[in-house]
Amino acid sequence: MSAKNTFTSAISGLEYPVGEMVKGNTIRRQVVNLIKSDHPDFTEESCIANAELNVYREKYISKYLDTEIHQLSELQKNVLNALGNDTSFVSKIEEDTDTRTFGQVVADQVAAFGGSWTFIIFFFIFLALWIGANVFILMNKGFDPYPFILLNLILSCIAALQAPVIMMSQNRQEEKDRERAKKDYMINLKSELEIRMLNEKLDHLIMHQQQELIEIQKVQIEMMNDILERIKK
């Protein structure tokens, strides 16, 4: 104290009326930490003026709002980067590299052609031409007269070869289905883990914001009470 009715501020060194004096042990911890960042020697026994305290209260509120705005901006940037960056786990796992052998490619094409209407139509036309040529044109004296033994041999060979080829293609399709099911399981598991992590982050964020907002409301109430006391004086 430099005089009976005045005191010296611990942060500015200026003299203020005793009625404006506020001790460090009566100031909220968040505001005290902000004061200590500018004045490390400030302690709970130090005294500052009410006007100086209000300045740091306003800094505390402004700092919190700036931090929230910065966090929202960073969150928005991260979301935009995630949407624009095609290197996510899902996009990687959905990449289908063609690792089929020559035999597998042939089996897939044969199975695709053998199970189509094109094959049925062409095969029906082939049978009609074969039978018509031997019966009506060559009068059963051609290369394959009735009962078409050569045709039956050809059909038996086609069926004997086509069946295992189709089975090869079906086995490959089953492998693809199992691989796709495994990928779906991995994607669902990753989504579940991310949802759990997101819920935990949201809970933590909500609790943190609630505590910060409560502290800000208390600081604002203190500032309003100081204003009301000044008005009454």
Side-chain angles (χ1 to χ4, degrees):
M1 299 262 183
S2 59
K4 186 177 181 180
N5 295 325
T6 61
F7 75 99
T8 302
S9 172
I11 61 176
S12 63
L14 301 176
E15 292 187 357
Y16 291 92
V18 176
E20 294 289 328
M21 184 176 63
V22 180
K23 289 187 176 182
N25 55 9
T26 62
I27 304 174
R28 296 195 173 277
R29 179 176 55 82
Q30 290 82 358
V31 181
V32 171
N33 293 334
L34 189 59
I35 296 174
K36 286 184 177 181
S37 63
D38 295 336
H39 304 278
D41 296 334
F42 186 83
T43 62
E44 293 184 356
E45 300 299 326
S46 302
C47 299
I48 61 173
N50 194 18
E52 295 173 330
L53 176 60
N54 288 333
V55 172
Y56 278 96
R57 286 170 175 170
E58 293 175 357
K59 286 184 178 181
Y60 168 69
I61 296 174
S62 300
K63 183 178 179 181
Y64 172 77
L65 295 176
D66 291 339
T67 302
E68 289 297 316
I69 294 173
H70 179 70
Q71 290 178 353
L72 291 176
S73 299
E74 289 296 327
L75 178 61
Q76 184 178 6
K77 290 179 181 179
N78 292 335
V79 172
L80 293 176
N81 291 332
L83 292 176
N85 188 8
D86 191 19
T87 59
S88 62
F89 177 78
V90 176
S91 62
K92 287 181 179 179
I93 206 169
E94 287 182 348
E95 291 178 356
D96 187 13
T97 56
D98 193 359
T99 58
R100 295 181 298 175
T101 62
F102 177 76
Q104 291 174 338
V105 173
V106 173
D108 291 341
Q109 292 178 353
V110 170
F113 178 72
S116 64
W117 279 104
T118 303
F119 172 77
I120 295 174
I121 294 172
F122 276 114
F123 196 70
F124 179 78
I125 294 173
F126 169 75
L127 292 177
L129 292 175
W130 185 286
I131 295 173
N134 284 277
V135 174
F136 299 104
I137 297 177
L138 301 177
M139 297 299 178
N140 281 330
K141 296 179 181 180
F143 56 88
D144 188 24
Y146 182 83
F148 313 114
I149 298 175
L150 181 59
L151 178 61
N152 290 326
L153 179 62
I154 293 174
L155 294 178
S156 300
C157 291
I158 292 176
L161 293 175
Q162 190 179 24
V165 171
I166 293 176
M167 291 181 64
M168 289 171 56
S169 178
Q170 289 179 347
N171 291 334
R172 171 173 167 74
Q173 188 63 39
E174 290 178 357
E175 292 178 359
K176 291 174 64 177
D177 292 339
R178 286 195 295 268
E179 188 67 22
R180 187 178 294 110
K182 185 186 297 183
K183 292 178 179 180
D184 292 339
Y185 169 77
M186 294 173 66
I187 292 173
N188 292 334
L189 180 61
K190 179 176 180 292
S191 300
E192 181 180 356
L193 294 176
E194 287 185 344
I195 291 173
R196 289 182 179 179
M197 292 176 60
L198 182 60
N199 289 333
E200 292 178 359
K201 290 180 180 179
L202 287 176
D203 292 339
H204 176 74
L205 181 62
I206 290 173
M207 293 296 297
H208 174 71
Q209 286 185 339
Q210 286 179 346
Q211 294 176 355
E212 292 291 339
L213 289 175
I214 290 173
E215 291 296 329
I216 287 177
Q217 288 179 350
K218 291 179 179 179
V219 172
Q220 290 175 337
I221 291 173
E222 290 178 354
M223 295 175 66
M224 292 177 63
N225 291 332
D226 293 337
I227 295 173
L228 291 175
E229 289 179 357
R230 290 182 181 181
I231 294 174
K232 290 179 181 180
K233 292 180 180 180

